[in-house]
Amino acid sequence: MGKTNEGAFGLARRIGDQHLASIRQLVDGNHVRADEIQESYFRHCDCAITIDVTWRFVARYSEQTIAGDASVSGAHYGNSRNNFLAEFNLRKHQASHNLELRQSFQENVLSSNLSLSWSHEEKLAWDFGQHSYCHTCGNCSGHGDINCWSCHGSGKKTCYHCHGNGWTWQTRTRTSGSGQVIYDQYQQDCNVCFRACKLNCNQCGATGKQRCNSCSGHGFFTDIIHTKAVAIPSINYRVNASFLAQELADYMSEMGNNYAAQYFDFSLHQNYNNNHGSWVAQYVCPTTLVEQNFSLRQKKYLAAAVGSRVVPFVRPHLFDEIFKEELHDLHAIYGKSKEAGINKDQALHFFKTYCGQPVLDRALQSVAKLSASDRKTPGGSVLNACKGYISQSAASDLGKCMADLLDRVSPAYSKWSWILIMLLPLVYVTLSIENAAEFSRGGFWEGTATILGNFIVGMILLLFVSPFAWLFSAIHSAYERQSVPAPYRQRPRNWEPFSKVVGLYLLATIFLVPYGLGARYDFTPRWEGKIKSDIERQVGKQVYNLIESSPWLKSQIPNYWWVALATSRPSLSNTPPTSDSGECKKAWQTFSQLPAGEKKEKARKFFEIEYGILNFHANCLGSALQRKCDVIKQVETMPTSAARDRLKALLERENFKPPFFDKSMCR
């Protein structure tokens, strides 16, 4: 007996020493030394872990109905539904209560060393196979065809020409002796049915019948049921120990059977059928449980481990105390608001600090390799690096900080690249939505179609520009990631900001469409497309300067488009050029030099359409007064209200005062 007790104590002491050594190794270098952990109390006891796997047997079945004959050989019950259902009920009963059907499944469990590891999921115990029966189609009553819906089963249809009369009225003219024209009506045999009054039905070919679509012409169906007996496990953990029994049972239940089979030497102890018709397989593992108290920085901690593989199941939150200063700094930053973040200097400070702590260094490298979806919960990487010796809240705070600082020092994408490239297109397309709502005409559906069309065009424009933002983001972020060692470089996520761009576009659309509709009915201030026009004009100037500096590009642009670019007025701009505009005069010179013919005509039409049907020569070379007179004259001759509305905005920008059609200023 003495040797047995000495051997049990030696095993427990070995478990305790290894457990304490693993804790010391984990915390060493993280603001503390390994020798600062000092054991103050140790006790052990024999323990037995029992896992009861209760297998409950039930029937699983699937049904299908097939048109025609699909009878199951050896298990077909003809047209007898009662016999078919009786067989089904028998199989369900046998699946739950027949002990003989379970034997093959039970033998597999008893003979397999891996039965505990796969006892967490449903298993097949017996396959009864399929059985079937046939029943008549209710739609066609078993005939396979139904009366034709067109002729109602007669095979004939009333003649469409004479409507079943056999003749039609005809009109003829004759001239009387006095020269008067007389119209006479007379009956004439129908030249379609030839007095038969009926025509053959072309839907059924004059048979009066059509194939039944329900049963595809078979006249009956075959119902098939496939029945299986499956075993569903339920698991119960029990621990017999002098102390910490419930804590160990809860830990085992949380980790599951796969974990238990991997770290403990369970053996099948017994099996039996209980009173509820289920079968119980009981696994038992005798082992040793160790509890230890130790101190660190004048604080006491309790830890416990079990088994020869030293499985810790009571883990004190050591790192909450060890990283107290780091957590205090994080609370000062993130405690202000939920949306608070860290700046670049703070990120560099935390990065250097965390890299100097082995546990945080491993966690930081793990967070850097997380996918976009896993980055939502970076605290898991900290929890794993600390091997559970940290609270969930502390791990979450540290993980959030690591994700934020990595976005600063090792960015997965370039935020500024997306802003610089997508801001102008985003503003332009959102203003186009407002402009479409403000100037929409017609009824509800026409206005909705106009706004929706502009929204789709805007989305296409954003999709077209986004690859350039992605490219610049990829180049810029890859360059910035080179400043940190490879283990800390995040996975590129250069498409991630695009979802935010789309979200902003949708949000702006939701706000600006009601605003534009309100402006249309003068409930809100009208924008008149001014901001949109300014953007177009500025973009046009930049494009013009770019092409002007490149003779090759200039040679590739059609002349009538070059005239528009020369005025710094891109397509769809509604603001007429001022008379003292140097670009306007240059455009006129370019226009004057065009050879007569198709190109010059296209250029003239371009200016007439895009500049509100204004006289181009008067706009560019005439005096301001003459230009206003020309505008008034052309407004008077506008054929449609839409054209007048379009020029109304132009006149307001030119400081025209109502009434717009007063010619006194032109006399």
Short mmCIF file of all heavy atoms in Angstrom, two decimals, residues 576-636:
data_model
loop_
_atom_site.label_atom_id
_atom_site.label_comp_id
_atom_site.label_asym_id
_atom_site.label_seq_id
_atom_site.Cartn_x
_atom_site.Cartn_y
_atom_site.Cartn_z
N PRO A 576 -23.69 78.71 -70.38
CA PRO A 576 -23.09 79.23 -71.61
C PRO A 576 -21.78 79.94 -71.33
O PRO A 576 -21.62 80.55 -70.27
CB PRO A 576 -24.15 80.21 -72.13
CG PRO A 576 -24.91 80.60 -70.92
CD PRO A 576 -24.92 79.42 -70.01
N PRO A 577 -20.82 79.92 -72.24
CA PRO A 577 -19.54 80.58 -72.02
C PRO A 577 -19.71 82.10 -72.04
O PRO A 577 -20.54 82.64 -72.76
CB PRO A 577 -18.67 80.10 -73.17
CG PRO A 577 -19.65 79.73 -74.23
CD PRO A 577 -20.87 79.22 -73.54
N THR A 578 -18.94 82.78 -71.22
CA THR A 578 -19.01 84.24 -71.19
C THR A 578 -18.31 84.82 -72.41
O THR A 578 -17.42 84.21 -73.00
CB THR A 578 -18.35 84.77 -69.92
OG1 THR A 578 -17.00 84.32 -69.87
CG2 THR A 578 -19.08 84.27 -68.68
N SER A 579 -18.67 86.08 -72.75
CA SER A 579 -18.15 86.69 -73.98
C SER A 579 -16.67 87.00 -73.89
O SER A 579 -16.00 87.13 -74.90
CB SER A 579 -18.94 87.97 -74.28
OG SER A 579 -18.81 88.87 -73.20
N ASP A 580 -16.16 87.19 -72.65
CA ASP A 580 -14.75 87.52 -72.51
C ASP A 580 -13.90 86.29 -72.21
O ASP A 580 -12.79 86.41 -71.71
CB ASP A 580 -14.58 88.56 -71.40
CG ASP A 580 -15.14 88.07 -70.07
OD1 ASP A 580 -15.83 87.02 -70.10
OD2 ASP A 580 -14.89 88.73 -69.05
N SER A 581 -14.42 85.13 -72.50
CA SER A 581 -13.69 83.90 -72.21
C SER A 581 -12.65 83.64 -73.29
O SER A 581 -12.98 83.55 -74.47
CB SER A 581 -14.66 82.71 -72.12
OG SER A 581 -13.93 81.52 -72.09
N GLY A 582 -11.37 83.52 -72.86
CA GLY A 582 -10.32 83.23 -73.82
C GLY A 582 -10.47 81.85 -74.44
O GLY A 582 -10.23 81.66 -75.63
N GLU A 583 -10.90 80.91 -73.62
CA GLU A 583 -11.10 79.57 -74.16
C GLU A 583 -12.21 79.56 -75.20
O GLU A 583 -12.16 78.84 -76.20
CB GLU A 583 -11.43 78.59 -73.03
CG GLU A 583 -10.29 78.28 -72.08
CD GLU A 583 -10.24 79.26 -70.94
OE1 GLU A 583 -11.01 80.23 -70.98
OE2 GLU A 583 -9.42 79.07 -70.02
N CYS A 584 -13.27 80.38 -74.94
CA CYS A 584 -14.38 80.43 -75.89
C CYS A 584 -13.92 80.96 -77.25
O CYS A 584 -14.28 80.43 -78.30
CB CYS A 584 -15.49 81.31 -75.31
SG CYS A 584 -16.97 81.40 -76.31
N LYS A 585 -13.11 82.02 -77.23
CA LYS A 585 -12.61 82.57 -78.49
C LYS A 585 -11.72 81.56 -79.21
O LYS A 585 -11.76 81.44 -80.43
CB LYS A 585 -11.84 83.86 -78.21
CG LYS A 585 -12.73 84.99 -77.70
CD LYS A 585 -11.93 86.26 -77.44
CE LYS A 585 -12.84 87.38 -76.95
NZ LYS A 585 -12.10 88.63 -76.67
N LYS A 586 -10.92 80.84 -78.42
CA LYS A 586 -10.06 79.84 -79.04
C LYS A 586 -10.89 78.73 -79.67
O LYS A 586 -10.57 78.21 -80.74
CB LYS A 586 -9.10 79.26 -78.00
CG LYS A 586 -8.06 78.33 -78.58
CD LYS A 586 -7.00 77.96 -77.55
CE LYS A 586 -5.93 77.09 -78.19
NZ LYS A 586 -4.86 76.74 -77.23
N ALA A 587 -11.99 78.38 -78.99
CA ALA A 587 -12.88 77.36 -79.54
C ALA A 587 -13.49 77.83 -80.86
O ALA A 587 -13.61 77.08 -81.82
CB ALA A 587 -13.98 77.02 -78.53
N TRP A 588 -13.89 79.13 -80.87
CA TRP A 588 -14.47 79.66 -82.11
C TRP A 588 -13.45 79.65 -83.23
O TRP A 588 -13.77 79.34 -84.37
CB TRP A 588 -14.99 81.07 -81.87
CG TRP A 588 -15.41 81.74 -83.15
CD1 TRP A 588 -14.79 82.75 -83.79
CD2 TRP A 588 -16.53 81.38 -83.93
NE1 TRP A 588 -15.44 83.08 -84.94
CE2 TRP A 588 -16.53 82.23 -85.05
CE3 TRP A 588 -17.53 80.42 -83.82
CZ2 TRP A 588 -17.50 82.16 -86.03
CZ3 TRP A 588 -18.50 80.35 -84.80
CH2 TRP A 588 -18.48 81.21 -85.89
N GLN A 589 -12.22 79.98 -82.94
CA GLN A 589 -11.18 79.95 -83.96
C GLN A 589 -11.00 78.53 -84.49
O GLN A 589 -10.89 78.30 -85.69
CB GLN A 589 -9.87 80.48 -83.39
CG GLN A 589 -9.91 81.96 -83.02
CD GLN A 589 -8.66 82.42 -82.30
OE1 GLN A 589 -7.74 81.63 -82.09
NE2 GLN A 589 -8.63 83.70 -81.92
N THR A 590 -10.98 77.57 -83.57
CA THR A 590 -10.85 76.17 -84.00
C THR A 590 -12.04 75.76 -84.85
O THR A 590 -11.90 75.10 -85.88
CB THR A 590 -10.74 75.25 -82.77
OG1 THR A 590 -9.69 75.71 -81.94
CG2 THR A 590 -10.48 73.81 -83.19
N PHE A 591 -13.24 76.18 -84.41
CA PHE A 591 -14.46 75.86 -85.15
C PHE A 591 -14.43 76.48 -86.54
O PHE A 591 -14.83 75.85 -87.53
CB PHE A 591 -15.66 76.37 -84.34
CG PHE A 591 -16.97 76.23 -85.06
CD1 PHE A 591 -17.59 75.00 -85.17
CD2 PHE A 591 -17.58 77.35 -85.59
CE1 PHE A 591 -18.79 74.89 -85.83
CE2 PHE A 591 -18.79 77.24 -86.25
CZ PHE A 591 -19.41 76.00 -86.37
N SER A 592 -13.95 77.74 -86.65
CA SER A 592 -13.93 78.43 -87.95
C SER A 592 -12.98 77.75 -88.93
O SER A 592 -13.18 77.80 -90.15
CB SER A 592 -13.51 79.89 -87.75
OG SER A 592 -14.38 80.54 -86.86
N GLN A 593 -11.94 77.11 -88.39
CA GLN A 593 -10.94 76.49 -89.27
C GLN A 593 -11.35 75.10 -89.75
O GLN A 593 -10.67 74.52 -90.58
CB GLN A 593 -9.61 76.40 -88.53
CG GLN A 593 -9.00 77.77 -88.21
CD GLN A 593 -7.79 77.67 -87.32
OE1 GLN A 593 -7.37 76.57 -86.96
NE2 GLN A 593 -7.21 78.82 -86.97
N LEU A 594 -12.46 74.60 -89.24
CA LEU A 594 -12.89 73.28 -89.69
C LEU A 594 -13.31 73.35 -91.15
O LEU A 594 -13.95 74.32 -91.58
CB LEU A 594 -14.08 72.78 -88.86
CG LEU A 594 -13.80 72.40 -87.40
CD1 LEU A 594 -15.10 72.03 -86.70
CD2 LEU A 594 -12.82 71.23 -87.34
N PRO A 595 -12.98 72.30 -91.93
CA PRO A 595 -13.41 72.31 -93.33
C PRO A 595 -14.92 72.13 -93.43
O PRO A 595 -15.55 71.50 -92.58
CB PRO A 595 -12.67 71.10 -93.93
CG PRO A 595 -12.41 70.21 -92.76
CD PRO A 595 -12.20 71.11 -91.58
N ALA A 596 -15.49 72.74 -94.47
CA ALA A 596 -16.93 72.62 -94.65
C ALA A 596 -17.29 71.16 -94.89
O ALA A 596 -16.54 70.41 -95.52
CB ALA A 596 -17.37 73.49 -95.83
N GLY A 597 -18.44 70.79 -94.41
CA GLY A 597 -18.87 69.41 -94.62
C GLY A 597 -19.46 68.80 -93.35
O GLY A 597 -19.96 69.51 -92.46
N GLU A 598 -19.37 67.50 -93.27
CA GLU A 598 -20.04 66.76 -92.20
C GLU A 598 -19.49 67.13 -90.82
O GLU A 598 -20.25 67.33 -89.87
CB GLU A 598 -19.89 65.25 -92.42
CG GLU A 598 -20.61 64.42 -91.38
CD GLU A 598 -20.40 62.93 -91.62
OE1 GLU A 598 -19.72 62.58 -92.62
OE2 GLU A 598 -20.89 62.14 -90.80
N LYS A 599 -18.16 67.23 -90.68
CA LYS A 599 -17.58 67.49 -89.37
C LYS A 599 -18.00 68.86 -88.85
O LYS A 599 -18.31 69.02 -87.68
CB LYS A 599 -16.05 67.39 -89.43
CG LYS A 599 -15.54 65.97 -89.52
CD LYS A 599 -14.03 65.93 -89.40
CE LYS A 599 -13.54 64.47 -89.41
NZ LYS A 599 -12.07 64.39 -89.26
N LYS A 600 -18.03 69.86 -89.74
CA LYS A 600 -18.41 71.19 -89.29
C LYS A 600 -19.88 71.22 -88.90
O LYS A 600 -20.27 71.87 -87.93
CB LYS A 600 -18.12 72.21 -90.39
CG LYS A 600 -18.23 73.65 -89.90
CD LYS A 600 -17.56 74.60 -90.86
CE LYS A 600 -17.52 76.01 -90.27
NZ LYS A 600 -16.77 76.95 -91.14
N GLU A 601 -20.69 70.50 -89.63
CA GLU A 601 -22.11 70.44 -89.31
C GLU A 601 -22.33 69.75 -87.96
O GLU A 601 -23.15 70.18 -87.15
CB GLU A 601 -22.87 69.71 -90.41
CG GLU A 601 -24.38 69.69 -90.23
CD GLU A 601 -24.98 71.09 -90.22
OE1 GLU A 601 -24.37 72.00 -90.81
OE2 GLU A 601 -26.04 71.27 -89.60
N LYS A 602 -21.56 68.68 -87.72
CA LYS A 602 -21.65 68.00 -86.42
C LYS A 602 -21.25 68.94 -85.29
O LYS A 602 -21.87 68.96 -84.23
CB LYS A 602 -20.77 66.76 -86.41
CG LYS A 602 -21.34 65.60 -87.19
CD LYS A 602 -20.45 64.37 -87.06
CE LYS A 602 -21.05 63.18 -87.82
NZ LYS A 602 -20.18 61.98 -87.71
N ALA A 603 -20.17 69.71 -85.52
CA ALA A 603 -19.72 70.64 -84.48
C ALA A 603 -20.78 71.69 -84.20
O ALA A 603 -21.05 72.03 -83.04
CB ALA A 603 -18.41 71.29 -84.91
N ARG A 604 -21.43 72.21 -85.26
CA ARG A 604 -22.45 73.24 -85.06
C ARG A 604 -23.63 72.67 -84.26
O ARG A 604 -24.13 73.29 -83.33
CB ARG A 604 -22.93 73.78 -86.41
CG ARG A 604 -23.95 74.91 -86.28
CD ARG A 604 -24.34 75.43 -87.65
NE ARG A 604 -23.21 76.00 -88.35
CZ ARG A 604 -22.74 77.23 -88.12
NH1 ARG A 604 -23.29 78.00 -87.22
NH2 ARG A 604 -21.71 77.69 -88.78
N LYS A 605 -24.05 71.46 -84.63
CA LYS A 605 -25.15 70.83 -83.90
C LYS A 605 -24.77 70.58 -82.45
O LYS A 605 -25.59 70.70 -81.54
CB LYS A 605 -25.54 69.53 -84.58
CG LYS A 605 -26.24 69.73 -85.91
CD LYS A 605 -26.63 68.39 -86.53
CE LYS A 605 -27.38 68.60 -87.85
NZ LYS A 605 -27.74 67.30 -88.46
N PHE A 606 -23.50 70.21 -82.27
CA PHE A 606 -23.03 69.96 -80.90
C PHE A 606 -23.20 71.21 -80.03
O PHE A 606 -23.71 71.16 -78.92
CB PHE A 606 -21.56 69.52 -80.95
CG PHE A 606 -20.96 69.30 -79.59
CD1 PHE A 606 -21.12 68.09 -78.93
CD2 PHE A 606 -20.22 70.30 -78.98
CE1 PHE A 606 -20.56 67.89 -77.69
CE2 PHE A 606 -19.66 70.10 -77.73
CZ PHE A 606 -19.83 68.89 -77.09
N PHE A 607 -22.77 72.35 -80.57
CA PHE A 607 -22.87 73.59 -79.79
C PHE A 607 -24.33 73.99 -79.60
O PHE A 607 -24.72 74.46 -78.54
CB PHE A 607 -22.09 74.71 -80.47
CG PHE A 607 -20.61 74.62 -80.23
CD1 PHE A 607 -19.74 74.29 -81.24
CD2 PHE A 607 -20.10 74.87 -78.96
CE1 PHE A 607 -18.38 74.20 -81.01
CE2 PHE A 607 -18.75 74.78 -78.73
CZ PHE A 607 -17.88 74.44 -79.75
N GLU A 608 -25.15 73.80 -80.64
CA GLU A 608 -26.54 74.19 -80.53
C GLU A 608 -27.27 73.39 -79.45
O GLU A 608 -28.06 73.92 -78.69
CB GLU A 608 -27.24 74.00 -81.88
CG GLU A 608 -26.82 75.03 -82.92
CD GLU A 608 -27.49 74.77 -84.26
OE1 GLU A 608 -28.12 73.71 -84.38
OE2 GLU A 608 -27.39 75.62 -85.15
N ILE A 609 -26.97 72.09 -79.38
CA ILE A 609 -27.63 71.23 -78.41
C ILE A 609 -27.09 71.46 -77.01
O ILE A 609 -27.83 71.69 -76.06
CB ILE A 609 -27.46 69.75 -78.81
CG1 ILE A 609 -28.22 69.49 -80.12
CG2 ILE A 609 -27.99 68.83 -77.72
CD1 ILE A 609 -27.95 68.12 -80.70
N GLU A 610 -25.74 71.40 -76.87
CA GLU A 610 -25.14 71.43 -75.54
C GLU A 610 -25.18 72.80 -74.90
O GLU A 610 -25.13 72.92 -73.68
CB GLU A 610 -23.69 70.93 -75.60
CG GLU A 610 -23.57 69.49 -76.05
CD GLU A 610 -24.34 68.55 -75.14
OE1 GLU A 610 -24.38 68.81 -73.92
OE2 GLU A 610 -24.92 67.59 -75.63
N TYR A 611 -25.26 73.84 -75.69
CA TYR A 611 -25.27 75.18 -75.11
C TYR A 611 -26.65 75.83 -75.18
O TYR A 611 -26.78 77.04 -75.24
CB TYR A 611 -24.24 76.07 -75.79
CG TYR A 611 -22.84 75.57 -75.63
CD1 TYR A 611 -21.89 75.76 -76.63
CD2 TYR A 611 -22.47 74.89 -74.48
CE1 TYR A 611 -20.61 75.29 -76.47
CE2 TYR A 611 -21.20 74.41 -74.32
CZ TYR A 611 -20.26 74.60 -75.31
OH TYR A 611 -18.99 74.13 -75.15
N GLY A 612 -27.68 74.98 -75.14
CA GLY A 612 -29.04 75.50 -75.01
C GLY A 612 -29.57 76.20 -76.24
O GLY A 612 -30.36 77.14 -76.15
N ILE A 613 -29.13 75.78 -77.45
CA ILE A 613 -29.57 76.34 -78.72
C ILE A 613 -29.31 77.85 -78.76
O ILE A 613 -30.16 78.65 -79.11
CB ILE A 613 -31.06 76.03 -78.98
CG1 ILE A 613 -31.39 74.61 -78.53
CG2 ILE A 613 -31.43 76.16 -80.44
CD1 ILE A 613 -32.83 74.22 -78.74
N LEU A 614 -28.12 78.24 -78.30
CA LEU A 614 -27.70 79.65 -78.37
C LEU A 614 -26.86 79.87 -79.62
O LEU A 614 -26.22 78.95 -80.11
CB LEU A 614 -26.91 80.02 -77.12
CG LEU A 614 -27.64 79.83 -75.78
CD1 LEU A 614 -26.70 80.18 -74.64
CD2 LEU A 614 -28.87 80.70 -75.72
N ASN A 615 -26.87 81.13 -80.08
CA ASN A 615 -26.04 81.46 -81.25
C ASN A 615 -24.59 81.50 -80.82
O ASN A 615 -24.18 82.34 -80.02
CB ASN A 615 -26.46 82.84 -81.79
CG ASN A 615 -25.72 83.18 -83.08
OD1 ASN A 615 -24.53 83.50 -83.03
ND2 ASN A 615 -26.42 83.09 -84.19
N PHE A 616 -23.77 80.55 -81.34
CA PHE A 616 -22.40 80.41 -80.87
C PHE A 616 -21.56 81.64 -81.20
O PHE A 616 -20.79 82.13 -80.38
CB PHE A 616 -21.79 79.15 -81.49
CG PHE A 616 -20.40 78.88 -81.00
CD1 PHE A 616 -20.19 78.43 -79.70
CD2 PHE A 616 -19.30 79.08 -81.81
CE1 PHE A 616 -18.92 78.18 -79.23
CE2 PHE A 616 -18.02 78.84 -81.34
CZ PHE A 616 -17.84 78.38 -80.06
N HIS A 617 -21.73 82.18 -82.40
CA HIS A 617 -20.94 83.33 -82.80
C HIS A 617 -21.24 84.53 -81.91
O HIS A 617 -20.34 85.25 -81.46
CB HIS A 617 -21.22 83.66 -84.26
CG HIS A 617 -20.38 84.79 -84.78
ND1 HIS A 617 -20.77 86.12 -84.64
CD2 HIS A 617 -19.18 84.80 -85.41
CE1 HIS A 617 -19.85 86.89 -85.17
NE2 HIS A 617 -18.88 86.12 -85.65
N ALA A 618 -22.52 84.74 -81.60
CA ALA A 618 -22.89 85.87 -80.75
C ALA A 618 -22.38 85.67 -79.33
O ALA A 618 -21.94 86.62 -78.68
CB ALA A 618 -24.41 86.03 -80.73
N ASN A 619 -22.39 84.47 -78.85
CA ASN A 619 -21.92 84.19 -77.48
C ASN A 619 -20.44 84.49 -77.34
O ASN A 619 -19.99 84.99 -76.30
CB ASN A 619 -22.16 82.72 -77.13
CG ASN A 619 -23.60 82.48 -76.71
OD1 ASN A 619 -24.34 83.44 -76.51
ND2 ASN A 619 -23.98 81.23 -76.60
N CYS A 620 -19.67 84.13 -78.34
CA CYS A 620 -18.22 84.22 -78.22
C CYS A 620 -17.67 85.59 -78.62
O CYS A 620 -16.69 86.05 -78.06
CB CYS A 620 -17.55 83.15 -79.06
SG CYS A 620 -17.87 81.49 -78.43
N LEU A 621 -18.28 86.21 -79.64
CA LEU A 621 -17.69 87.42 -80.19
C LEU A 621 -18.55 88.66 -79.98
O LEU A 621 -18.05 89.77 -80.04
CB LEU A 621 -17.41 87.23 -81.69
CG LEU A 621 -16.49 86.06 -82.04
CD1 LEU A 621 -16.28 86.00 -83.55
CD2 LEU A 621 -15.14 86.22 -81.35
N GLY A 622 -19.86 88.48 -79.79
CA GLY A 622 -20.75 89.62 -79.66
C GLY A 622 -20.67 90.26 -78.30
O GLY A 622 -20.06 89.73 -77.37
N SER A 623 -21.28 91.43 -78.18
CA SER A 623 -21.31 92.11 -76.88
C SER A 623 -22.27 91.39 -75.95
O SER A 623 -23.09 90.59 -76.37
CB SER A 623 -21.78 93.56 -77.07
OG SER A 623 -23.13 93.57 -77.53
N ALA A 624 -22.16 91.74 -74.67
CA ALA A 624 -23.04 91.10 -73.67
C ALA A 624 -24.50 91.41 -73.96
O ALA A 624 -25.37 90.55 -73.85
CB ALA A 624 -22.65 91.56 -72.28
N LEU A 625 -24.80 92.69 -74.37
CA LEU A 625 -26.18 93.06 -74.64
C LEU A 625 -26.71 92.30 -75.85
O LEU A 625 -27.84 91.80 -75.83
CB LEU A 625 -26.27 94.58 -74.87
CG LEU A 625 -27.66 95.11 -75.24
CD1 LEU A 625 -28.64 94.82 -74.10
CD2 LEU A 625 -27.60 96.62 -75.51
N GLN A 626 -25.90 92.20 -76.89
CA GLN A 626 -26.33 91.49 -78.09
C GLN A 626 -26.59 90.02 -77.76
O GLN A 626 -27.54 89.42 -78.26
CB GLN A 626 -25.27 91.61 -79.18
CG GLN A 626 -25.66 90.90 -80.48
CD GLN A 626 -26.93 91.47 -81.08
OE1 GLN A 626 -27.11 92.68 -81.15
NE2 GLN A 626 -27.84 90.59 -81.49
N ARG A 627 -25.73 89.47 -76.88
CA ARG A 627 -25.90 88.06 -76.52
C ARG A 627 -27.23 87.86 -75.79
O ARG A 627 -27.95 86.91 -76.03
CB ARG A 627 -24.73 87.62 -75.63
CG ARG A 627 -24.84 86.18 -75.15
CD ARG A 627 -23.46 85.65 -74.76
NE ARG A 627 -22.81 86.51 -73.77
CZ ARG A 627 -23.01 86.38 -72.44
NH1 ARG A 627 -23.80 85.45 -71.97
NH2 ARG A 627 -22.39 87.19 -71.60
N LYS A 628 -27.57 88.79 -74.90
CA LYS A 628 -28.83 88.67 -74.17
C LYS A 628 -30.02 88.78 -75.12
O LYS A 628 -31.02 88.08 -74.97
CB LYS A 628 -28.92 89.73 -73.08
CG LYS A 628 -27.90 89.53 -71.96
CD LYS A 628 -28.01 90.61 -70.90
CE LYS A 628 -26.98 90.37 -69.80
NZ LYS A 628 -27.05 91.42 -68.75
N CYS A 629 -29.93 89.68 -76.07
CA CYS A 629 -31.01 89.83 -77.04
C CYS A 629 -31.20 88.54 -77.83
O CYS A 629 -32.33 88.12 -78.10
CB CYS A 629 -30.72 91.01 -77.97
SG CYS A 629 -30.78 92.62 -77.13
N ASP A 630 -30.09 87.96 -78.26
CA ASP A 630 -30.19 86.71 -79.02
C ASP A 630 -30.84 85.62 -78.18
O ASP A 630 -31.65 84.83 -78.68
CB ASP A 630 -28.80 86.27 -79.47
CG ASP A 630 -28.24 87.17 -80.58
OD1 ASP A 630 -29.06 87.86 -81.21
OD2 ASP A 630 -27.01 87.15 -80.78
N VAL A 631 -30.48 85.59 -76.92
CA VAL A 631 -31.08 84.59 -76.04
C VAL A 631 -32.59 84.77 -75.96
O VAL A 631 -33.37 83.83 -76.09
CB VAL A 631 -30.45 84.65 -74.63
CG1 VAL A 631 -31.24 83.79 -73.64
CG2 VAL A 631 -29.01 84.19 -74.69
N ILE A 632 -33.03 86.04 -75.76
CA ILE A 632 -34.46 86.31 -75.61
C ILE A 632 -35.20 85.92 -76.88
O ILE A 632 -36.27 85.30 -76.85
CB ILE A 632 -34.68 87.79 -75.27
CG1 ILE A 632 -34.16 88.07 -73.85
CG2 ILE A 632 -36.15 88.16 -75.37
CD1 ILE A 632 -34.20 89.53 -73.46
N LYS A 633 -34.63 86.26 -78.03
CA LYS A 633 -35.28 85.93 -79.29
C LYS A 633 -35.43 84.42 -79.45
O LYS A 633 -36.45 83.93 -79.92
CB LYS A 633 -34.48 86.52 -80.45
CG LYS A 633 -34.52 88.04 -80.51
CD LYS A 633 -33.65 88.56 -81.65
CE LYS A 633 -33.65 90.09 -81.68
NZ LYS A 633 -32.78 90.61 -82.75
N GLN A 634 -34.40 83.69 -79.07
CA GLN A 634 -34.46 82.24 -79.26
C GLN A 634 -35.41 81.59 -78.26
O GLN A 634 -36.05 80.60 -78.55
CB GLN A 634 -33.07 81.64 -79.15
CG GLN A 634 -32.15 82.16 -80.23
CD GLN A 634 -31.14 81.12 -80.70
OE1 GLN A 634 -31.38 79.93 -80.57
NE2 GLN A 634 -30.04 81.58 -81.25
N VAL A 635 -35.51 82.17 -77.05
CA VAL A 635 -36.46 81.64 -76.08
C VAL A 635 -37.88 81.79 -76.61
O VAL A 635 -38.73 80.92 -76.44
CB VAL A 635 -36.30 82.34 -74.72
CG1 VAL A 635 -37.46 82.01 -73.79
CG2 VAL A 635 -34.99 81.91 -74.07
N GLU A 636 -38.16 82.93 -77.28
CA GLU A 636 -39.51 83.16 -77.81
C GLU A 636 -39.90 82.11 -78.84
O GLU A 636 -41.07 81.77 -78.98
CB GLU A 636 -39.56 84.55 -78.45
CG GLU A 636 -39.57 85.69 -77.44
CD GLU A 636 -39.67 87.03 -78.13
OE1 GLU A 636 -38.99 87.20 -79.17
OE2 GLU A 636 -40.40 87.90 -77.65
#
